[in-house]
Amino acid sequence: MPEHGRLGIRQLTILTIMTIVGDMMMIYPSVIANYSGQNAWLNAFIGIPLGMGLMFLYVKLADTYPGENLFGILRNILGYWPGTFVALFYLMYFIFGSSTQARVVGDFMTSEIFLLTPIRVVLLIFFIVIGWGIYNGLETIGRSGEILLPIVTVFMFILVICLLPQTDHKQLLPFTDTTTKQITEGLLVSFIYPVGEAIPILMLIPYVNQEAHRTRDLVIGAGFGNFLMAVLVTTSMLVMGLFLTQHNIFGSFVLSQKINIANFFQRIEVLMASSWLISTYFKSTIYLYAFIIGTAELFGFKTSRFLVLPSVLIAFALSNIVSPTITFIVTLVIPYWLDWDITMCLIFPVMLLIIHLIKNKVRFKKNTV
């Protein structure tokens, strides 16, 4: 194993929650509202058990070959060369995921906070921190997550509680103003986007110290992360309504600007944005870490530390060219990204489990003959 750090099951669960929340905290309300229409909030809550089921599927996939990460599982189930071929697609998915999430951070910071700062400066600082975290190892990343998750959670609940006086339940009506296509697409978005994008966790599972309650904790963690997203979507619908939720790309930032209690507790949007930056940092870090570990696994390197700097530079370069503007990401990238997520995070894992079951049945019949 090309990794010197170890994780506890609690740390793995926390990193799972961070990966699920990630950049979704900022863009998820707009995305699911565009797909689901008026029932976006309802689809978001229905997606909670669906997301927990998807995480259960990931854990079962990890249990097929204990001690192996995703790439090892691919090679064991599909064979060496077919597994390596599919693993290359996952490498591309991981590196593009890390760079795109960082790009969203850069677009947000330069359009809402640091208006005169070049985006490359923001991205460079972001990737320096990511690279430093990965260089210090998985254990450091896990312990940092333990410290910072309460900040993300507390800020999220502060946002919701402070906006309660501005909510209007009529904004959720009518329930029937949604087509079958919107319901189907909305349900896919409700669990594929948040929980499906946590598939890099399969690269971390072999480095967990304890196996007890792993399935339970990861499934509950997936449910908790998806629950936070559902609450955020519902709050956005109650406060801003469908139209504004659909057309505000950084929905939670706009919501935090509306907080005003007695003309005293207000203008805290930057504090709220910090929780999103923290969660996106962990998600981008896990994706880049999965890329580095996967590269070391494919090429049989005994250590992955020397890959940190070139991988960070590649991700930094991709983040500068992956999209010209945030509008390009929302209008052109996200619709196709959903198809990519469905393929990499749902179709491939289900296919691997089916092939594994078939191989086991064939092997059992041969042994009984």
Side-chain angles (χ1 to χ4, degrees):
M1 293 289 181
E3 169 59 40
H4 60 276
R6 306 295 296 182
L7 283 176
I9 187 61
R10 181 177 63 183
Q11 294 171 335
L12 180 64
T13 304
I14 288 172
L15 292 179
T16 301
I17 295 172
M18 288 291 202
T19 306
I20 291 171
V21 174
D23 56 335
M24 293 293 109
M25 185 184 292
M26 192 64 73
I27 66 174
Y28 183 67
S30 175
V31 172
I32 194 171
N34 275 289
Y35 277 101
S36 302
Q38 189 65 37
N39 286 342
W41 65 277
L42 187 59
N43 281 344
F45 276 105
I46 295 175
I48 295 175
L50 296 178
M52 295 173 73
L54 184 60
M55 182 55 65
F56 180 79
L57 183 146
Y58 289 165
V59 178
K60 287 302 177 184
L61 181 60
D63 289 339
T64 57
Y65 290 93
E68 295 284 353
N69 59 28
L70 176 60
F71 287 8
I73 293 171
L74 285 169
R75 283 176 165 175
N76 279 290
I77 292 179
L78 300 179
Y80 186 85
W81 289 113
T84 300
F85 181 74
V86 176
L88 291 174
F89 281 98
Y90 274 103
L91 277 184
M92 185 171 65
Y93 178 74
F94 292 152
I95 191 66
F96 272 97
S98 179
S99 58
T100 303
Q101 291 145 22
R103 178 60 191 229
V104 173
V105 170
D107 284 327
F108 167 74
M109 297 297 288
T110 54
S111 63
E112 301 289 346
I113 299 177
F114 301 131
L115 303 182
L116 301 179
T117 303
I119 190 171
R120 291 185 180 182
V121 175
V122 176
L123 293 173
L124 180 61
I125 294 173
F126 193 69
F127 275 110
I128 287 174
V129 180
I130 289 176
W132 181 246
I134 295 175
Y135 183 79
N136 282 280
L138 189 57
E139 189 174 354
T140 301
I141 298 172
R143 290 180 178 179
S144 300
E146 286 184 290
I147 296 172
L148 295 174
L149 178 64
I151 296 176
V152 175
T153 307
V154 168
F155 279 8
M156 171 77 77
F157 281 105
I158 289 175
L159 174 68
V160 173
I161 292 172
C162 291
L163 287 173
L164 286 178
Q166 301 184 43
T167 58
D168 181 5
H169 71 278
K170 294 180 181 179
Q171 300 274 24
L172 302 181
L173 302 175
F175 296 115
T176 57
D177 190 23
T178 307
T179 64
T180 304
K181 179 182 177 182
Q182 286 179 313
I183 294 174
T184 304
E185 292 180 342
L187 287 176
L188 283 173
V189 171
S190 69
F191 73 97
I192 290 292
Y193 260 142
V195 181
E197 292 191 354
I199 196 169
I201 295 300
L202 290 176
M203 301 295 290
L204 310 185
I205 284 181
Y207 310 117
V208 178
N209 284 324
Q210 58 201 58
E211 299 291 331
H213 310 303
R214 185 183 66 180
T215 301
R216 182 199 65 185
D217 291 350
L218 288 178
V219 170
I220 292 175
F224 178 71
N226 220 358
F227 172 75
L228 291 179
M229 295 300 95
V231 170
L232 183 60
V233 172
T234 305
T235 304
S236 180
M237 293 285 291
L238 286 169
V239 175
M240 297 193 299
L242 175 62
F243 182 82
L244 292 179
T245 299
Q246 288 176 325
H247 293 85
N248 280 300
I249 300 171
F250 303 120
S252 60
F253 185 76
V254 175
L255 285 174
S256 61
Q257 289 178 320
K258 295 180 177 293
I259 294 176
N260 185 358
I261 299 179
N263 290 324
F264 173 74
F265 191 69
Q266 57 183 337
R267 304 299 299 175
I268 61 169
E269 57 266 19
V270 175
L271 292 177
M272 293 298 166
S274 64
S275 63
W276 171 67
L277 294 175
I278 291 170
S279 61
T280 307
Y281 162 77
F282 278 96
K283 185 172 184 178
S284 187
T285 299
I286 294 302
Y287 266 75
L288 189 57
Y289 175 84
F291 172 80
I292 293 171
I293 292 297
T295 303
E297 178 89 9
L298 285 183
F299 292 96
F301 298 138
K302 294 182 179 180
T303 179
S304 59
R305 270 198 166 191
F306 73 96
L307 294 173
V308 174
L309 179 58
S311 299
V312 168
L313 293 177
I314 292 172
F316 171 69
L318 281 175
S319 66
N320 282 282
I321 65 176
V322 71
S323 167
T325 61
I326 187 63
T327 305
F328 179 87
I329 292 178
V330 173
T331 58
L332 293 178
V333 175
I334 286 182
Y336 295 101
W337 200 282
L338 177 60
D339 297 333
W340 203 9
D341 278 347
I342 291 173
T343 303
M344 307 302 289
C345 306
L346 181 62
I347 295 177
F348 277 175
V350 170
M351 178 191 70
L352 289 171
L353 280 175
I354 292 174
I355 293 174
H356 176 71
L357 291 174
I358 293 173
K359 288 175 68 175
N360 280 348
K361 286 186 178 181
V362 171
R363 191 179 298 116
F364 177 76
K365 288 182 179 179
K366 287 183 178 180
N367 292 334
T368 55
V369 173

